[in-house]
């Protein structure tokens, strides 16, 4: 279980910066429901914004300086302005706020000249649940609010976050993470046609539950491997004479794939078939056929395992165990891969005890680390949280005192 967010973001902000924040923003993490690596290939993807968040509290800094603090870190980082460089080690999280600040300039949006910023999170990092995108979006909402722009549309918010990640952090991701975090809606999945991108909502089935088994293992070269897959997909599309792999149907690919180098043929097969699975999943969700949805989810995992080669033996084992459980519709790796987490779609009757039995069998099979288990709800997207502080009084509606339930653990 990840630790619950500490009770009082306001108190922490005051303890660190000596005064109250003027803005609080919150952005959810996401589960990639299906559509593995389809986003940057011009395909479609289904994501779920989840009730695990990054919070950003901020206030203008009258001296025009930047002071940044992440709960859990030892010290405040103080900067006179944008240092124009990248941070590493425990300060590497600062690259995201910096990337957002630079992106505001790139998007001709107002930038607050100086600010104090505190971030906190109950999203497990490295699980493939998009803590980076949630950080980008929470900071983007907080900084734009400080600069007087409180009505940023979700599509612009998503584009801004992705731009920060692509151009300033340096990861060539698609729009899935930021789009889902921006457009999340409780009780729904976010459908993204990444060619637009065009965002829509698909009801999340009331009879189903979303679980995460985070095996806490992350490949050291994860960013490099992600970029490599991206390049392989672009090379495959070029060799096949299309702008984007998702432009091809499985039949068209089969007719043309003969001359492709084997690695590129595998990558193309995964993307083209995954794109078809996303459409089939939407149709199956619309007619409430969860058995079919489950089969598509597990088929997606097998394709990642076999053709895209972005799974790991630990993730495969978790999927194997979950697949055999009668209360599980389907299971698959979620996110970029090369470690991270497996998601499972389950029936109502799948309980904590069932989850514990899966983890017991997983560790008995020789895996050292017990997976972290999260039972998640779908959630609303990134937003500013307005509150009316009453002097010295904490009320149930005051999220800065953590009493609105937003910080509670759901596991
Ligand atoms: C990461 C990226 C997304 C997407 C997924 C794989 O989460 O940030 O843009 O490519 O991997 O589907």
């Amino acid at each position: 279980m990840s630790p619950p967010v500490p009770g009082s973001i306001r108190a922490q902000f005051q303890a660190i910066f000596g005064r109250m924040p003027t803005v609080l923003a919150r952005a959810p993490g996401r589960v990639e429901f299906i559509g593995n690596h389809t986003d940057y290939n011009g395909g479609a993807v289904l994501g779920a914004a989840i009730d695990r968040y990054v919070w950003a509290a901020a206030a203008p800094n009258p001296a025009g300086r930047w002071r940044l603090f992440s709960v859990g870190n030892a010290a405040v980082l103080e900067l006179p302005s944008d240092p124009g460089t990248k941070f590493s080690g425990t300060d590497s999280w600062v690259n995201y706020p910096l990337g957002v600040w630079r992106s505001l300039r790139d998007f001709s949006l107002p930038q607050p000249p100086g600010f104090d910023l505190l971030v906190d999170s109950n999203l497990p990092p490295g699980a493939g649940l998009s803590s980076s995108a949630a950080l980008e979006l929470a900071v983007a909402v907080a900084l734009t609010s400080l600069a007087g722009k409180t009505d940023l549309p979700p599509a612009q918010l998503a584009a801004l976050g992705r731009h920060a990640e692509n151009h300033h952090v340096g990861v060539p991701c698609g729009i899935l993470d930021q789009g889902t975090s921006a457009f999340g809606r409780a009780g729904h999945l976010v459908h993204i046609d990444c060619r637009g991108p065009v965002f829509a909502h698909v009801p999340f089935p009331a009879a189903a539950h979303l679980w995460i088994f985070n095996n806490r293992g992350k490949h050291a070269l994860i960013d490099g491997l992600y970029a490599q897959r991206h390049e392989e997909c672009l090379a495959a599309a070029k060799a096949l004479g299309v702008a984007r792999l998702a432009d091809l149907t499985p039949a068209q690919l089969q007719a043309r794939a003969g001359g492709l180098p084997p690695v590129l043929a595998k990558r193309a097969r995964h993307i083209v078939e995954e794109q078809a699975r996303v459409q089939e999943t939407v149709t199956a969700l619309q007619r409430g056929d969860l058995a079919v949805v489950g089969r598509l989810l597990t088929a997606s995992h097998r394709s990642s395992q076999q053709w895209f080669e972005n799974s790991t033996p630990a993730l495969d084992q978790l999927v194997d165990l979950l697949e055999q459980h009668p209360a599980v519709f389907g299971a698959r790796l979620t996110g970029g891969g090369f470690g991270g987490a497996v998601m499972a779609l389950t029936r109502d009757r799948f309980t904590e005890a069932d989850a514990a039995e899966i983890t017991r069998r997983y560790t008995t099979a020789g895996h050292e680390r017990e997976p972290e288990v999260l039972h998640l709800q779908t959630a609303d997207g990134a937003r500013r949280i307005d509150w009316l502080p009453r002097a010295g009084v904490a009320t149930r509606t005051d999220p800065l005192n953590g009493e609105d339930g937003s910080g509670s653990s759901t596991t």
Side-chain angles (χ1 to χ4, degrees):
M1 287 203 343
S2 63
V5 165
S8 171
I9 293 176
R10 177 164 57 192
Q12 291 185 79
F13 192 97
Q14 191 167 28
I16 298 289
F17 297 117
R19 63 210 166 85
M20 293 293 186
T22 56
V23 168
L24 177 67
R26 179 182 93 175
R30 66 98 188 92
V31 167
E32 175 195 278
F33 191 77
I34 193 165
N36 191 242
H37 289 253
T38 47
D39 60 356
Y40 58 82
N41 283 296
V45 60
L46 277 172
I50 53 172
D51 57 342
R52 291 293 178 127
Y53 304 96
V54 171
W55 286 262
N61 182 301
R65 295 178 73 81
W66 298 14
R67 295 191 294 174
L68 306 105
F69 182 73
S70 172
V71 173
N73 276 15
V76 174
L77 189 72
E78 184 158 356
L79 306 169
S81 62
D82 183 348
T85 51
K86 269 190 158 186
F87 290 86
S88 56
T90 53
D91 287 336
S92 56
W93 71 275
V94 172
N95 295 323
Y96 296 91
L98 274 178
V100 168
W101 197 83
R102 293 171 189 160
S103 300
L104 292 173
R105 177 199 56 214
D106 299 344
F107 277 51
S108 302
L109 285 164
Q111 294 166 297
F115 55 84
D116 293 342
L117 176 74
L118 176 144
V119 303
D120 198 358
S121 171
N122 66 353
L123 258 171
L129 300 179
S130 285
S131 51
S132 315
L135 175 57
E136 288 154 0
L137 266 60
V139 169
V141 172
L143 294 189
T144 49
S145 296
L146 279 190
K149 177 122 186 88
T150 53
D151 56 351
L152 212 57
Q156 197 175 18
L157 189 58
L160 185 81
R162 180 185 178 192
H163 180 90
E165 183 102 26
N166 290 170
H167 298 281
H168 299 297
V169 178
V171 178
C173 67
I175 193 68
L176 163 67
D177 308 345
Q178 293 83 4
T180 306
S181 185
F183 278 87
R185 184 186 287 177
H188 293 77
L189 297 172
V190 180
H191 179 271
I192 311 176
D193 176 344
C194 302
R195 282 168 307 181
V198 177
F199 302 90
H201 294 102
V202 178
F204 185 80
H209 291 259
L210 209 47
W211 292 76
I212 282 292
F213 292 78
N214 171 21
N215 90 328
R216 305 173 211 244
K218 191 177 165 184
H219 201 293
L221 302 174
I222 190 162
D223 287 348
L225 289 166
Y226 183 90
Q228 187 190 57
R229 288 296 177 279
H230 193 156
E231 280 163 25
E232 289 166 350
C233 289
L234 294 181
K238 194 169 173 203
L240 290 161
V242 288
R244 297 165 291 228
L245 282 179
D247 290 344
L248 293 170
T249 63
Q252 286 169 331
L253 177 65
Q254 214 179 2
R256 296 192 203 181
L260 273 187
V263 167
L264 299 192
K266 287 197 273 188
R267 308 301 184 243
R269 177 169 181 176
H270 170 74
I271 298 301
V272 170
E273 293 182 356
E274 184 76 348
Q275 166 69 5
R277 277 188 288 272
V278 175
Q279 308 307 346
E280 288 171 45
T281 302
V282 172
T283 310
L285 283 168
Q286 281 162 347
R287 55 169 204 271
D289 193 340
L290 293 178
V292 167
V293 172
R295 279 201 291 279
L296 289 161
L297 296 177
T298 308
S300 164
H301 181 81
R302 299 299 173 211
S303 177
S304 294
Q305 183 180 353
Q306 192 175 0
W307 305 125
F308 213 63
E309 297 174 293
N310 62 335
S311 186
T312 64
L315 297 178
D316 297 341
Q317 176 121 44
L318 280 168
V319 170
D320 292 347
L321 291 169
L322 285 159
E323 192 188 16
Q324 288 158 23
H325 196 287
V328 172
F329 291 114
R332 60 183 293 276
L333 72 81
T334 182
F338 310 109
V342 159
M343 63 151 263
L345 189 73
T346 75
R347 296 177 193 276
D348 274 336
R349 63 171 198 267
F350 188 87
T351 64
E352 295 283 348
D354 293 307
E357 177 60 14
I358 298 281
T359 64
R360 191 194 62 76
R361 292 176 61 192
Y362 174 81
T363 43
T364 308
H367 298 279
E368 276 172 28
R369 278 187 308 260
E370 194 172 295
E372 175 185 28
V373 177
L374 307 173
H375 181 191
L376 299 168
Q377 309 294 324
T378 53
D380 287 334
R383 62 188 49 203
R384 180 178 167 158
I385 298 176
D386 289 311
W387 82 100
L388 295 171
R390 283 192 277 141
V393 180
T395 69
R396 287 197 59 74
T397 54
D398 181 351
L400 289 186
N401 281 294
E403 295 182 7
D404 66 340
S406 57
S408 61
S409 168
T410 56
T411 53

